[in-house]
Amino acid sequence: MRVPRNRQKAFLASQPKRSRKQPFPITLSTWRRILSRNTDEFCRNTTIHGLKYINNSKLRNSDRFFFGIALLVVLSLAVYLIQDAFDKWNTNPVIVGIDPELTSIANEPFPAVTICNLNQALTERVEHFTNDSVEFAMLQLLCRRKVDVDLVKSNDSRWEEFILNISQPCKSMIIQCRFGADDYECARLFHPIVTDEGLCCVFNMLHPRFMYRKRVPYSHRNISLPEGFHAVNWHAELGYRKRGFQPDGDNPLYPRRAQGTGESLGLSLTLDVQADAYYCSSSSSVGFKIALHSPNESPNVRETGVLLAPGMETKLRIDPSKILTEKHLRNVDRRSRRCLFHNELKLRWFAHYTQRNCVAECLSGWLIRHCGCVTFYMPRLNANDTICPLHKRECVELIRFRTIIAMESCLDECLPSCFDLTFTAIAYSTRISHDGFRETSSHGGWNFTDSYVERSVAVVNMYFKDPTFRANKQTEFIGFSDFLSGVGGLMGLFLGFSFLSIAECVYFALIRPCRTCSEIRQLNQPRVHQMNLKKMATPGNIRYISAANWFQAELAHQQPNNRQHFNPA
C-alpha cells in the first residue's frame, strides 16, 4: 500500500529541524577508502617521476622496492643541492661589479682638501708660557711629549681656542690659491678646522649647517664663502640638488665640482711652512700633511695624510673611486649586504652618515663611557660632554690606540656606505726652480729669498687625469627569481616536479576527497527519510522499494493516464 501524502507531511513536520538537516556521518573506513582511491589515481597520473612504478601492483615487489630506493636517493640529492642554493641566496646576496655606465667627474664634487702644518705652535706665541702652567702642559701634549700633570696648577682647558691662538692661521699658511683657472683669496676659500693634527685648513667641505646635526665646532663658526658661491647639501647617494639657479655658472655650487682634467683646471696652492717659527713638529720632519676626502666626511689627517716637503713642487694626481648600490637592495638585510643607505642610521653629531663619521662618534662614545670625557677634536655626542683634562691622558691613549675591542666593535656597528665617494692621490715631487718661482712670486707680491724658498715654501697641484671613471656597483648576486629558477631546475631535473605538480597534490589530497564526501552525504540523505517512512507503515506484508523507485512512482502517480501503485508482497 502507498503511504498517504498527508501522513508523510505530518511525520516530517513532527521531526526536529536539527535532526532533519543533520549530515550523514562519514566513517573512518570511508575516509580510508576515499584517500586510497585518490592516492592510487594520483600516482598513476602525476608528472612526478617514479610514483607510478612504486604504486603499480602488477610489478614485482623487488622492482617496486628498487624504484622506491631510487626515489629516496634522488630526493635526498635534490634537497642537498637546494639547501646549498638557499645558503648562497641567503648569506651572499650582494656582488660588487663594475658599473657599465661611465661616471663623469663633472657630476661629482672636487675632493675636500685638508692641509695641516706639522708645526703645532708658533714660537713667538708660546715662548712666554711657564713650565707649571696649564698652557705649557697642553702644548706638550700637542707636541706629543711627556707631561708632569702634578706640576699643573689648574685643569681648566679650552682646547679649540688655545689651538687657534698658538697655531699658524690659514691666511699665512696658504699664500696663493688657484682653482679651475681662477685665482681666489685663500682666506675665503680655506677655513680653519681642528683635527688630530692640530689646526688645519680645509677646502670644499660641506658648509657647517649641512655637516653637523647639533652644535657647530668653535673653529667652524662664522664661515663665509667667496662671493657668489651657493652652499648645497651634497651627498654621495643624492648628488647635487638644484635650487632653481644655473649650477656652476654665475652661481657656482659649493662644494665645488671638478672643472676639468689636467693641472690647469685643478687646484694649485703655494704654501708657506714658516720653518723659522717652528716650536715642535707632530712628526720627525718639517712640512705639511695633506688629506683628500669626501666633502661630507671628517678628515683623518694624522693616519692617512700625505707629506709635502718644503722646497719641492708636488703633483697629486687624483684617482676617484665610487660605490653605487641598486635601490632594491634596501629590502635585503643590512648584515647580509654589508652596507647602509644614508637614511638607515642617523648619527648624533654629524648630519651625514659615512663609515668614517660613524667610527668617530663610536670612539667618542667609548671615551665617554670609560673616561667620562672626549678629546678636543672628537664629536660631542651630548650637550654636557667635556674635554678630557690632562690627567685623563692615559685613559684616552688606552682607548684610542690599545683597545682593539673598541675598534672592532665600532667597525661592526659602522658598516660602509652603500653610496660612497673616495679619493686617492698619486704623488710626484721635484725641486722648485728658483728662476721659475721668482717669476711666480712677482705676480703674488712676495719677496722670498732662494734659501727661504728651500726651507719653507711648497707648491702642490691637484688634478684629475681622465674626464670619466668606472664606478663599482653592488647588485644582487642571486635574486629571488634566480633562486626560484635554480630550485625549479633542480626539482624538474631530479623529480619532474613543477608548480602544476603542486596543483595536483592539492586537488587529490584536499579538493577531490572533500567533494566525494559531499556527494556521499547527498546520496544517502533520501535513505534517511525512507527509513523514517518505513517506521510509519503498517507492519504487514509491504514490499519496500528503493528511494529512486519511490520517486519514480511518485512522478507516475501524478500523471492521470499512467498511475502506478505499490503492490503488496
Side-chain angles (χ1 to χ4, degrees):
M1 57 180 296
R2 185 167 58 89
V3 179
R5 185 178 297 276
N6 57 354
R7 295 189 61 185
Q8 296 179 24
K9 294 180 179 180
F11 174 77
L12 293 175
S14 64
Q15 298 299 315
K17 293 183 179 181
R18 183 175 300 178
S19 63
R20 288 187 311 189
K21 295 183 179 180
Q22 184 176 4
F24 185 81
I26 303 298
T27 61
L28 183 61
S29 60
T30 303
W31 268 108
R32 289 177 178 174
R33 288 195 299 271
I34 293 172
L35 294 178
S36 177
R37 189 181 302 112
N38 288 339
T39 302
D40 180 69
E41 189 170 352
F42 171 75
C43 292
R44 285 188 285 107
N45 296 285
T46 184
T47 57
I48 300 177
H49 302 324
L51 292 180
K52 62 181 179 181
Y53 301 109
I54 298 174
N55 188 64
N56 191 352
S57 59
K58 295 181 181 181
L59 294 178
R60 295 181 179 180
N61 291 335
S62 59
D63 298 338
R64 298 169 67 182
F65 178 76
F66 168 77
F67 282 107
I69 295 298
L71 180 63
L72 290 177
V73 172
V74 170
L75 181 61
S76 301
L77 185 59
V79 170
Y80 172 77
L81 294 178
I82 290 172
Q83 179 66 31
D84 183 63
F86 176 78
D87 291 338
K88 290 182 179 179
W89 174 60
N90 189 44
T91 58
N92 300 303
V94 177
I95 186 172
V96 179
I98 298 177
D99 188 11
E101 297 183 3
L102 291 173
T103 302
S104 174
I105 61 172
N107 297 326
E108 305 297 335
F110 197 84
V113 180
T114 303
I115 301 176
C116 309
N117 192 336
L118 296 179
N119 182 23
Q120 299 299 297
L122 297 175
T123 303
E124 59 183 12
R125 297 189 180 184
V126 299
E127 58 186 1
H128 61 279
F129 292 162
T130 58
N131 293 342
D132 59 349
S133 64
V134 178
E135 290 80 6
F136 182 80
M138 295 167 64
L139 180 61
Q140 301 311 304
L141 286 179
L142 287 176
C143 296
R144 302 177 188 178
R145 300 172 180 173
K146 293 183 179 180
V147 180
D148 190 354
V149 181
D150 297 334
L151 298 178
V152 180
K153 297 179 180 179
S154 172
N155 281 330
D156 182 22
S157 57
R158 294 180 294 274
W159 277 99
E160 285 191 277
E161 297 91 331
F162 175 73
I163 292 175
L164 288 172
N165 291 331
I166 67 172
S167 302
Q168 182 185 16
C170 293
K171 63 180 180 180
S172 64
M173 180 192 303
I174 307 170
I175 57 179
Q176 185 182 30
C177 304
R178 186 175 180 85
F179 179 71
D182 294 324
D183 293 324
Y184 290 92
E185 183 184 353
C186 298
R188 299 289 297 276
L189 206 61
F190 281 83
H191 309 112
I193 180 174
V194 176
T195 69
D196 49 2
E197 274 290 328
L199 182 64
C200 303
C201 303
V202 62
F203 160 72
N204 219 38
M205 193 172 176
L206 281 184
H207 194 276
R209 71 172 181 267
F210 300 125
M211 185 70 184
Y212 304 101
R213 188 178 300 277
K214 292 185 177 181
R215 295 182 303 161
V216 177
Y218 180 81
S219 59
H220 269 203
R221 298 172 187 174
N222 302 321
I223 287 180
S224 60
L225 298 176
E227 185 178 357
F229 279 32
H230 290 266
V232 294
N233 192 13
W234 178 88
H235 193 277
E237 182 174 348
L238 305 177
Y240 285 97
R241 298 177 179 179
K242 295 183 179 180
R243 305 288 178 140
F245 49 83
Q246 187 67 26
D248 292 335
D250 296 334
N251 300 293
L253 303 181
Y254 190 87
R256 295 297 306 273
R257 301 173 189 255
Q259 302 300 297
T261 59
E263 180 180 336
S264 300
L265 296 177
L267 177 65
S268 299
L269 306 174
T270 302
L271 310 175
D272 184 7
V273 76
Q274 295 183 359
D276 297 335
Y278 256 53
Y279 177 81
C280 68
S281 175
S282 60
S283 65
S284 302
S285 58
V286 174
F288 300 93
K289 262 190 180 181
I290 183 171
L292 306 182
H293 53 96
S294 182
N296 64 338
E297 189 174 58
S298 62
N300 186 18
V301 186
R302 183 174 184 179
E303 306 298 337
T304 63
V306 177
L307 288 174
L308 299 177
M312 305 289 287
E313 180 176 4
T314 305
K315 297 185 184 297
L316 297 178
R317 194 176 69 191
I318 302 171
D319 186 15
S321 177
K322 189 173 185 179
I323 290 290
L324 305 174
T325 304
E326 292 184 345
K327 298 293 185 181
H328 63 268
L329 287 182
R330 284 179 178 270
N331 301 325
V332 180
D333 182 70
R334 63 179 63 179
R335 296 294 174 182
S336 298
R337 56 176 145 90
R338 300 297 299 173
C339 71
L340 289 175
F341 289 89
H342 78 284
N343 56 356
E344 286 188 320
L345 180 61
K346 289 186 177 181
L347 302 180
R348 301 170 62 182
W349 173 258
F350 296 103
H352 287 232
Y353 177 86
T354 67
Q355 187 177 39
R356 163 66 184 164
N357 294 347
C358 181
V359 169
E361 287 196 3
C362 181
L363 291 177
S364 290
W366 274 80
L367 286 175
I368 292 172
R369 288 191 296 270
H370 293 84
C371 305
C373 57
V374 295
T375 55
F376 61 89
Y377 56 86
M378 299 190 75
R380 279 78 153 170
L381 304 182
N382 306 298
N384 57 351
D385 289 344
T386 58
I387 303 299
C388 290
L390 298 176
H391 66 273
K392 292 289 185 72
R393 178 185 181 182
E394 293 184 359
C395 179
V396 173
E397 296 296 322
L398 178 65
I399 297 298
R400 286 190 61 225
F401 301 116
R402 296 180 177 84
T403 306
I404 301 178
I405 299 176
M407 182 56 67
E408 290 180 348
S409 174
C410 291
L411 291 177
D412 185 61
E413 177 184 348
C414 300
L415 299 176
S417 301
C418 292
F419 288 79
D420 196 17
L421 180 64
T422 57
F423 302 94
T424 56
I426 303 175
Y428 306 92
S429 299
T430 186
R431 285 188 173 276
I432 294 177
S433 171
H434 294 170
D435 295 336
F437 189 79
R438 288 195 195 99
E439 183 179 352
T440 303
S441 61
S442 63
H443 293 87
W446 320 309
N447 188 18
F448 297 148
T449 62
D450 293 345
S451 60
Y452 186 86
V453 171
E454 291 180 0
R455 295 195 316 272
S456 299
V457 177
V459 177
V460 58
N461 303 289
M462 293 160 273
Y463 59 93
F464 288 101
K465 178 185 176 183
D466 300 313
T468 59
F469 64 95
R470 293 279 186 182
N472 294 325
K473 191 172 186 179
Q474 295 187 120
T475 59
E476 278 188 324
F477 179 50
I478 299 178
F480 179 75
S481 59
D482 299 327
F483 171 72
L484 191 62
S485 300
V487 172
L490 291 173
M491 295 294 289
L493 177 64
F494 287 95
L495 298 172
F497 190 87
S498 65
F499 277 115
L500 190 59
S501 302
I502 299 177
E504 291 176 351
C505 294
V506 173
Y507 174 75
F508 284 102
L510 184 62
I511 298 177
R512 188 166 180 176
C514 293
R515 191 174 65 186
T516 302
C517 293
S518 177
E519 292 175 351
I520 291 175
R521 290 192 183 98
Q522 292 178 1
L523 291 175
N524 285 274
Q525 192 67 25
R527 294 186 179 181
V528 176
H529 297 304
Q530 182 65 24
M531 294 299 294
N532 292 331
L533 292 175
K534 286 181 180 180
K535 294 179 182 179
M536 295 175 54
T538 303
N541 294 326
I542 301 176
R543 190 181 72 166
Y544 297 98
I545 62 178
S546 64
N549 294 334
W550 183 80
F551 280 113
Q552 292 178 359
E554 284 294 305
L555 293 173
H557 175 74
Q558 295 178 3
Q559 299 177 1
N561 297 328
N562 189 18
R563 295 184 179 180
Q564 295 182 6
H565 302 278
F566 292 109
N567 295 324

